[in-house]
Amino acid sequence: MNKKQLLIFLFLLQPFLSRAQCLSSVNPVGGTDNLLVLEKKSLRIISFYRYGQGNRYFEGTEHADFNLISKAYYNYFSIITGYGITNKFSLELETGYFLNKTQKYNISPEYALTGKGLSNAVLIAKKSLYTEPIKRIYITGSAGAKIPFSREMQQQEYVTLPVEVQPTIGALGTVIGVSFVKESSGTGKRYFFTSRFETNAENKEKYRLGSSLFNSFYISQHLRHPKLKDKWTAILQLRHEFRTPDRLNNEIKGSSGSTLLFITPQLNFVLYDEWYLSGLADIPAYQYFKGTQLGAGIGFIFIISRTIRL
């Protein structure tokens, strides 16, 4: 990480480290996302680390014998900063940094390609569309823009790295979404549904990532056993990911596009009534790929979040 990237990182992290009064908000966190708008003049910082990997190829839904890459993995750090402009409108900034995106090739001697660096900044506006406090039903819509930190493709030994290990594709994009939350105060349960659609423009090399649709359903249960002291919450997420094929020079790229289904258990813990710590595992339950592609393995995410009043 160079000096410029370090300054950007510290600037984004600074509000998270400042001293402020904790704010109790109805807005829950599901996975790594804010699901609703934030309360007026409140700031929420979600910081998380994600590890993902894969080591088996698929053709359609079946395992393939192709073994060019023995393993692909990445380590990713992200900060999501949200601020409540009003009680019905908030802004969020998502940023991320790849410590590495690595592909190890099944050749001798062992050879690997690695990309790293800042990925994209995603600026999102969220608006409360429907609120029913008595029935505890909340619906929020969102829209935003995805902006790459760099338009240039990274190289290793004077060779341009493949798209799969680039920290950013170097293209603008758009993001739209909707979130639904239903709470049951008597049972301590919450039910969430989120949908997020992303599109991408062409980059300077005429490469265009396919569009993506992410749908997630969550069930959250507050654990009320006396020994747990109301500090633990269990969440189970079922996530569907659909990606259209990529394009190069406006022609469909072979072996791109997929449909994936993940089961994701998550456990949240409240520390000092201010800090929220979470851990979750991304477990692939179904994978379908167009052509021959490297599949997803089990991934892990660790989250720290805090909501403060300025």
Side-chain angles (χ1 to χ4, degrees):
M1 184 183 296
N2 61 34
K3 183 177 180 181
K4 180 180 178 181
Q5 293 168 341
L6 179 62
L7 289 174
I8 293 172
F9 172 78
L10 292 175
F11 172 76
L12 293 173
L13 191 62
Q14 190 275 331
F16 189 46
L17 302 175
S18 62
R19 298 176 60 87
Q21 179 181 354
C22 176
L23 174 68
S24 175
S25 173
V26 71
N27 183 10
V29 175
T32 58
D33 299 321
N34 288 312
L35 300 183
L36 302 174
V37 296
L38 295 170
E39 294 181 5
K40 183 179 179 180
K41 294 184 179 180
S42 67
L43 178 73
R44 176 175 287 175
I45 309 295
I46 303 173
S47 174
F48 68 89
Y49 159 79
R50 179 194 296 267
Y51 170 80
Q53 52 87 27
N55 58 10
R56 296 201 66 175
Y57 278 90
F58 283 77
E59 290 181 0
T61 59
E62 303 297 325
H63 292 299
D65 294 331
F66 191 67
N67 64 349
L68 174 63
I69 296 172
S70 60
K71 184 177 182 180
Y73 62 97
Y74 65 85
N75 292 275
Y76 178 71
F77 180 77
S78 179
I79 295 177
I80 301 174
T81 306
Y83 180 71
I85 306 298
T86 71
N87 285 328
K88 292 190 175 183
F89 181 79
S90 60
L91 292 176
E92 290 185 3
L93 176 64
E94 303 176 6
T95 59
Y97 185 89
F98 280 99
L99 302 176
N100 74 287
K101 290 182 77 176
T102 300
Q103 288 183 341
K104 290 187 174 181
Y105 291 84
N106 201 13
I107 59 177
S108 183
E110 185 178 86
Y111 182 71
L113 292 175
T114 298
K116 61 181 179 180
L118 290 163
S119 56
N120 302 300
V122 184
L123 182 61
I124 295 178
K126 288 190 172 182
K127 177 73 168 61
S128 176
L129 303 179
Y130 179 81
T131 300
E132 177 49 73
I134 296 177
K135 295 182 179 180
R136 304 185 74 83
I137 297 174
Y138 311 91
I139 301 175
T140 293
S142 61
K146 184 164 54 176
I147 305 166
F149 277 105
S150 174
R151 298 274 288 169
E152 304 300 324
M153 304 293 278
Q154 285 191 3
Q155 295 185 341
Q156 182 174 315
E157 298 177 353
Y158 305 103
V159 176
T160 300
L161 293 171
V163 171
E164 290 78 11
V165 298
Q166 294 285 345
T168 174
I169 195 62
L172 297 171
T174 58
V175 177
I176 59 174
V178 65
S179 298
F180 170 88
V181 176
K182 172 69 173 76
E183 296 180 327
S184 176
S185 57
T187 63
K189 283 188 172 65
R190 281 173 169 166
Y191 304 92
F192 318 149
F193 174 79
T194 67
S195 184
R196 174 162 163 155
F197 180 67
E198 298 185 7
T199 62
N200 303 279
E202 280 188 352
N203 65 9
K204 294 172 65 176
E205 282 70 36
K206 303 298 181 182
Y207 195 97
R208 183 173 191 163
L209 284 179
S211 300
S212 301
L213 177 64
F214 306 92
N215 294 316
S216 294
F217 175 73
Y218 307 76
I219 299 177
S220 169
Q221 175 65 61
H222 187 58
L223 305 180
R224 292 179 169 176
H225 193 279
K227 291 185 178 181
L228 300 180
K229 300 180 180 180
D230 292 329
K231 292 182 179 295
W232 294 88
T233 301
I235 300 175
L236 183 64
Q237 176 191 168
L238 184 65
R239 186 175 74 257
H240 168 262
E241 299 184 2
F242 173 75
R243 301 174 191 272
T244 64
D246 300 349
R247 289 180 174 269
L248 179 61
N249 293 319
N250 208 31
E251 294 186 2
I252 292 177
K253 177 187 175 184
S255 296
S256 63
S258 61
T259 300
L260 308 177
L261 187 66
F262 292 87
I263 297 174
T264 305
Q266 178 176 350
L267 193 62
N268 295 352
F269 175 72
V270 181
L271 182 65
Y272 302 125
D273 297 323
E274 294 181 343
W275 302 88
Y276 292 80
L277 312 179
S278 298
L280 60 88
D282 252 347
I283 305 170
Y286 172 83
Q287 302 187 63
Y288 168 80
F289 295 93
K290 294 183 178 179
T292 303
Q293 298 184 57
L294 195 64
I298 297 176
F300 301 95
I301 303 175
F302 301 97
I303 309 163
I304 302 175
S305 67
R306 187 182 181 186
T307 305
I308 53 182
R309 187 185 299 275
L310 300 180

